[in-house]
Amino acid sequence: MKDKNKIQKIPFILIGFFLALWMIGLAVGEPTRVLEQAKSICLSCIGIG
Amino acid sequence: MQSIRKWVQAIWIFLINGYWAFPFTGNMYQGPLKVICSPGLNCYSCPAATTYCPLGSLQQLLGGIRYSLQSGQYYIGTFVVGWMGILGATFGRFICGWACPFGLFQELLHKIPSKKYSIPKAFNWGKYLFLLFFVIILPLVIVDQFGLGAPWFCKYICPAGTLEAGIPMVLLMPDLRSTLGMLYVNKIMILLGFTIWSVFASRPFCRTTCPLGAFYALFNRFSLIQLQLDEDACTNCKACHEVCPVEIRFNETPGSNECINCMKCASDACRFDAIHLAIAGHRLGTAKKKPTIVPT
């Protein structure tokens, strides 16, 4: 029978993995690039140009 | 519960589109908040957008990956995928049901009285193909003479971008009108198509096309916060089948990739308290007593 009180570990492993990815991105300075992109109007993104 | 969900959806729209000075400044928000990831599909070229769109950003980063690596920068999308993964692994498709502006747009359209149609299940695979090809492979592989790839999904498909940015920006910046061409017409037609489809079918874009929904769907079975089925309490009355906006049979496929976790089945259908919220497998709140059948 399924143990209803068992804590699922997979979500924590996944969160940890993606947190590590996020931190790698942070370490290489990717947020600066993301911010640059987000601050400018992406004309081709909105079907112009 | 459903009225709470509507409020949450509305609050999210205002949180991620909180720059209401744009009609006066004539420009979009360009502040530091734009380094924060929008959980739902929300174009960062929308003049009111205060966060970045993970899909748009990821395509831009993948499209510029050659240029980045050649110039010694390792901008390969880990920051964006990290954000998306943290959100997905925590909430799964709760984001689709509770925090996506384009999801709310489709829900409101679906309230227009008309004959309602279902969407063939095979169409659900479309969103995974859009994620794989239009968001990842095509921006990476097809490049121009400078080695830059295009944001294929945003450029050719995304109706949310047209609604939130394409139309408002053209209204806000009259100079842009001279640059409009077939690309814009194509995107307006796609938006129009999904708008009409949403009246007759529930959330067609989310179910067939949305790459962000496809990404979050991969986590639905493993996310920290989940909707769970108590098999002991379920009587297989099938009431949950009737109310589901994405036409899944929750009691047969709990944790389905298609479930947007709107909780309509739990709040509006199930009388036996068989569907409940759980965090890391632990039920939130206590189970109500199962109704007993009294012999007459």
Side-chain angles (χ1 to χ4, degrees):
Chain A
M1 199 173 162
K2 210 171 160 183
D3 182 5
K4 288 184 180 176
N5 293 318
K6 199 177 169 189
I7 291 179
Q8 289 178 351
K9 289 179 189 147
I10 297 175
F12 296 105
I13 295 168
L14 286 172
I15 291 169
F17 171 74
F18 285 106
L19 190 64
L21 274 188
W22 184 83
M23 289 171 80
I24 291 168
L26 207 64
V28 298
E30 207 174 277
T32 318
R33 181 80 191 101
V34 169
L35 196 59
E36 267 172 31
Q37 290 168 352
K39 276 181 175 178
S40 53
I41 305 166
C42 173
L43 290 179
S44 62
C45 295
I46 58 176
I48 302 169
Chain B
M1 177 66 80
Q2 291 308 302
S3 57
I4 294 173
R5 190 170 72 90
K6 285 281 175 287
W7 276 105
V8 173
Q9 286 174 305
I11 289 167
W12 268 111
I13 286 185
F14 284 102
L15 276 178
I16 58 182
N17 294 294
Y19 182 67
W20 289 96
F22 72 85
F24 310 106
T25 61
N27 210 339
M28 63 197 282
Y29 172 73
Q30 293 176 315
L33 286 177
K34 273 206 160 164
V35 79
I36 296 170
C37 179
S38 160
L41 194 66
N42 192 70
C43 187
Y44 57 24
S45 291
C46 169
T50 46
T51 52
Y52 76 84
C53 171
L55 284 186
S57 234
L58 185 60
Q59 289 169 81
Q60 296 271 17
L61 288 166
L62 293 178
I65 206 165
R66 287 175 181 78
Y67 178 80
S68 290
L69 293 175
Q70 278 166 11
S71 55
Q73 297 162 325
Y74 297 95
Y75 302 157
I76 56 170
T78 49
F79 179 72
V80 178
V81 174
W83 260 119
M84 289 165 70
I86 292 167
L87 288 168
T90 308
F91 301 105
R93 290 195 80 181
F94 271 99
I95 293 163
C96 304
W98 292 71
C100 182
F102 202 67
L104 178 61
F105 173 68
Q106 292 169 88
E107 279 183 18
L108 296 176
L109 286 168
H110 197 60
K111 285 187 187 297
I112 296 172
S114 70
K115 194 175 178 197
K116 305 299 178 191
Y117 297 90
S118 63
I119 296 175
K121 278 195 170 68
F123 285 23
N124 294 342
W125 289 100
K127 59 181 173 293
Y128 300 104
L129 297 177
F130 279 111
L131 174 64
L132 188 64
F133 288 99
F134 279 72
V135 175
I136 301 169
I137 294 178
L138 292 174
L140 263 177
V141 173
I142 299 181
V143 292
D144 61 15
Q145 66 268 36
F146 306 108
L148 293 170
W152 279 70
F153 186 77
C154 299
K155 189 171 180 177
Y156 297 107
I157 311 287
C158 189
T162 313
L163 179 71
E164 295 164 3
I167 296 171
M169 277 304 190
V170 167
L171 294 175
L172 201 66
M173 298 178 162
D175 299 350
L176 290 178
R177 289 174 201 166
S178 60
T179 61
L180 301 183
M182 280 313 292
L183 192 62
Y184 194 74
V185 174
N186 163 64
K187 289 205 66 182
I188 291 284
M189 295 308 286
I190 290 174
L191 172 63
L192 203 61
F194 276 111
T195 303
I196 295 167
W197 197 5
S198 299
V199 176
F200 298 103
S202 174
R203 284 186 173 242
F205 177 76
C206 310
R207 293 161 70 183
T208 66
T209 313
C210 182
L212 193 57
F215 182 81
Y216 291 144
L218 302 174
F219 297 93
N220 237 13
R221 216 174 291 264
F222 313 105
S223 58
L224 185 69
I225 303 171
Q226 284 183 1
L227 261 189
Q228 281 191 341
L229 177 75
D230 184 344
E231 286 171 11
D232 299 334
C234 179
T235 60
N236 198 24
C237 69
K238 298 183 173 64
C240 53
H241 303 188
E242 305 298 322
V243 297
C244 181
V246 288
E247 299 172 63
I248 60 163
R249 298 172 171 184
F250 188 86
N251 70 325
E252 291 170 16
T253 53
S256 161
N257 289 7
E258 298 308 315
C259 179
I260 56 166
N261 296 312
C262 66
M263 297 185 66
K264 219 170 183 179
C265 51
S267 64
D268 295 4
C270 187
R271 291 181 294 120
F272 303 100
D273 205 26
I275 303 169
H276 55 85
L277 263 182
I279 296 182
H282 277 263
R283 186 190 180 115
L284 269 187
T286 50
K288 284 180 207 156
K289 225 176 176 181
K290 194 175 175 181
T292 47
I293 298 161
V294 181
T296 50

